[in-house]
């Protein structure tokens, strides 16, 4: 870390020497390994190791970003010169700039526990991928495999800027998946299961992943089309999370400042039932989206986006906050060659006390969605239309599988009728329990 600190400090000094008024540098060092098997035979084995640095320079109200994988001193000097030359000719932006660092860290990288030193040999990874696939293929009715896979990634993220911020942390990720087919001919159905975790010890068992994938595929056999009409709809957690992603896009400060969000006039308004609270928690230990600092060197805030149904916060980086006359809440995210952009960390909906079964028990006829296909969501108007598959609900019970139907509504209307169950699990960056929305239009037969 000391070497990286010295290297980045010299880079920033050189940027200012060539005329930059401010600068920041993001360095990402990563190791990624992935394996995939199909019918027990290895199909893919990849390993990559990369070191890349992104330099962002500011010349008063102009900025430019440039990146390289060549750390040779002569190349770094050329990089600095090019970045400063680019900044000279780009248009002015009154909202660009670097924020002053937060007063003090809220947590240390060590407290977040984002680094698992465990790295298994590829031979072991292949065995786990085979185990997941084998468990899926052993489910009665499964006819073929799309594959089993295992992956590991380690990233060290280091950020420094000319306002005396320096921070570094390492983030690991282990993941396993299985995807299989059930049935035959034109009646074949596909499904999968997947799990990802910071620590290997938190990863689900490969056999369990495979079993889930196989059972899900078999459950979809011999589907029908639902009739066209208006029905209550239940979203399984793996698709319910997409609705919360739409909320995150709607409260993104960058979209709000551009006037391209369907929620831009909703701040302070009740847009969900009072039972709904949506939280972004950057400091969840071993959280897939946890960060000790954001990509502008600010320490992120834990925020409610929705509190008891009311929209109370935007997701903000420095630029969008400045445009809105607010302070950044430390949610800037960026790649090495891109400008910062507001993003959630660990975003989730607070669960209720009701089970998924209780959520659907009064539904005489409805739809249970387990997969969404394609995307036609207008983030300016909130109009929502997506292909889907899943199951019918009859008299409060999941019934026969259904395919090839379309869900349609408007996100504002959907949010106002949204109810949640108690089955929240933290499996992704954005997480939701089972969701119920009454009265959605279904286009089927």
């Amino acid at each position: 870390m000391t070497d990286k600190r010295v290297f980045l400090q010299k880079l920033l000094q050189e940027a200012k020497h060539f005329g930059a008024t401010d600068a920041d540098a993001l360095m990402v060092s990563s190791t990624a390994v992935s394996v995939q098997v199909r019918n027990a035979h290895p199909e893919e084995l990849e390993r990559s190791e990369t070191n890349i640095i992104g330099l962002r320079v500011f010349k008063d109200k102009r900025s430019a970003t440039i990146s390289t994988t060549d750390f040779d001193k002569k190349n770094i000097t050329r990089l600095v010169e090019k970045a400063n030359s680019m900044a000279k000719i780009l248009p002015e932006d009154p909202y660009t700039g670097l924020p002053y660092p937060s007063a003090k860290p809220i947590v240390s990288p060590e407290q977040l526990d984002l680094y698992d030193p465990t790295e298994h040999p590829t031979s072991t990874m292949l065995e786990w991928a085979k185990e997941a696939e084998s468990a899926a293929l052993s489910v009665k009715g499964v006819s073929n495999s799309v594959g089993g896979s295992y992956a590991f990634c380690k990233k060290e993220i280091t950020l420094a800027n000319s306002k005396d911020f320096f921070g570094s942390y390492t983030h690991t990720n282990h993941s396993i998946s299985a995807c299989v087919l059930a049935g035959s001919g034109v009646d074949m159905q596909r499904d999968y299961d997947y799990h990802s975790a910071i620590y290997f010890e938190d990863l689900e068992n490969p056999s369990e992943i495979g079993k889930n994938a196989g059972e899900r595929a078999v459950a979809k056999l011999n589907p029908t089309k639902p009739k066209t009409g208006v029905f209550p709809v239940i979203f399984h957690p793996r698709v319910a999370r997409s609705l919360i992603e739409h909320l995150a896009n709607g409260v993104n400060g960058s979209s709000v400042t551009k006037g391209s969000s369907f929620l831009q006039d909703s701040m302070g308004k009740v847009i969900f039932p009072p039972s709904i609270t949506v939280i972004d928690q950057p400091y969840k230990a071993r959280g897939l989206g946890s960060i000790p600092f954001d990509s502008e060197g600010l320490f992120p805030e834990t925020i409610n986006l929705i509190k008891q149904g009311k929209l109370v916060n935007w997701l903000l980086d420095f630029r969008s906050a400045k445009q809105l006359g607010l302070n950044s809440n430390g949610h800037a995210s960026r790649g090495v060659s891109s400008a910062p952009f507001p993003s959630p960390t660990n975003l989730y909906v607070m669960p209720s006390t009701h089970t998924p079964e209780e959520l659907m028990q009064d539904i005489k006829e409805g739809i249970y969605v387990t997969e969404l296909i394609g995307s036609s969501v207008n983030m300016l108007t909130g109009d929502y239309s997506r292909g889907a598959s899943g199951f019918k609900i009859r008299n409060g019970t999941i019934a026969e599988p259904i395919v090839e139907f379309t869900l349609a509504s408007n996100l504002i209307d959907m949010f106002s009728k949204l109810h949640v169950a108690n089955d929240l699990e933290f499996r992704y960056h954005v997480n939701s329990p089972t969701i119920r929305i009454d009265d959605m239009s279904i286009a089927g037969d």
Side-chain angles (χ1 to χ4, degrees), residues 294-314:
D294 78 351
S295 68
E296 294 180 305
L298 297 179
F299 303 116
E301 299 173 20
T302 297
I303 56 173
N304 288 334
L305 295 180
I306 304 296
K307 186 175 183 180
Q308 297 178 344
K310 183 186 292 186
L311 175 59
V312 293
N313 274 302
W314 306 121

Side-chain angles (χ1 to χ4, degrees), residues 35-42 120 122-139 142 145 147-150 175-180 193 200 203-214:
V35 300
Q36 182 169 333
V37 300
R38 186 168 182 270
N39 294 320
H41 298 293
H120 298 282
T122 52
S123 58
T124 304
M125 296 168 68
L126 281 166
E127 288 305 312
W128 285 326
K130 289 178 182 178
E131 184 181 340
E133 182 190 50
S134 176
L137 288 170
S138 69
V139 175
V142 172
S145 172
S149 67
Y150 189 98
S175 62
I176 190 163
S177 68
C179 182
V180 290
D193 196 19
F200 169 76
L203 200 62
E204 288 185 1
N205 185 280
S207 294
E208 189 66 23
I209 292 290
K211 181 173 176 285
N212 290 342

Side-chain angles (χ1 to χ4, degrees), residues 61-295:
K61 296 301 179 181
R62 295 180 171 89
S63 69
T65 305
I66 194 167
S67 64
T68 186
T69 57
D70 183 355
F71 288 17
D72 179 78
K73 188 178 186 307
K74 289 182 179 179
N75 182 66
I76 291 296
T77 298
R78 287 194 295 268
L79 182 83
V80 173
E81 289 179 310
K82 285 181 182 178
N84 277 281
S85 296
M86 289 166 61
K88 287 179 183 178
I89 61 174
L90 290 171
E92 286 192 356
D93 178 357
Y95 304 106
T96 196
L98 277 180
Y100 284 97
S102 306
K104 61 180 180 178
I106 297 173
V107 300
S108 69
E110 291 73 24
Q111 288 174 293
L112 291 180
D113 202 14
L114 301 178
Y115 173 56
D116 176 12
T118 307
E119 184 176 350
H120 298 282
T122 52
S123 58
T124 304
M125 296 168 68
L126 281 166
E127 288 305 312
W128 285 326
K130 289 178 182 178
E131 184 181 340
E133 182 190 50
S134 176
L137 288 170
S138 69
V139 175
K140 186 178 179 180
V142 172
S143 55
N144 207 341
S145 172
V146 177
S149 67
Y150 189 98
F152 168 78
C153 181
K154 177 176 71 175
K155 286 186 178 180
E156 183 178 359
I157 298 163
T158 306
L159 177 70
N161 69 30
S162 56
K163 293 190 183 296
D164 297 325
F165 175 85
F166 178 85
S168 185
Y169 67 98
T170 303
H171 179 285
T172 51
N173 185 276
H174 301 261
S175 62
I176 190 163
S177 68
C179 182
V180 290
L181 300 167
S184 60
V186 296
D187 296 324
M188 293 181 77
Q189 296 295 324
R190 167 193 166 278
D191 217 317
Y192 70 95
D193 196 19
Y194 167 86
H195 191 229
S196 179
I198 299 294
Y199 269 71
F200 169 76
E201 65 187 27
D202 296 332
L203 200 62
E204 288 185 1
N205 185 280
S207 294
E208 189 66 23
I209 292 290
K211 181 173 176 285
N212 290 342
E215 290 178 346
R216 288 174 178 177
V218 171
K220 293 165 70 173
L221 287 173
N222 305 310
T224 61
K225 278 189 177 183
K227 66 183 180 182
T228 295
V230 177
F231 301 97
V233 176
I234 301 285
F235 291 83
H236 185 280
R238 72 174 181 177
V239 290
R241 58 188 291 269
S242 68
L243 302 180
I244 308 309
E245 288 174 338
H246 296 320
L247 169 67
N249 290 334
V251 301
N252 186 293
S254 180
S255 298
V256 173
T257 59
K258 294 173 183 175
S260 59
S261 168
F262 69 101
L263 292 174
Q264 62 197 48
D265 298 319
S266 297
M267 180 54 66
K269 296 180 180 178
V270 175
I271 60 172
F272 284 83
S275 59
I276 301 299
T277 293
V278 181
I279 301 170
D280 191 82
Q281 169 55 279
Y283 301 121
K284 178 177 171 56
R286 299 193 184 187
L288 290 173
S290 295
I291 52 172
F293 53 85
D294 78 351
S295 68

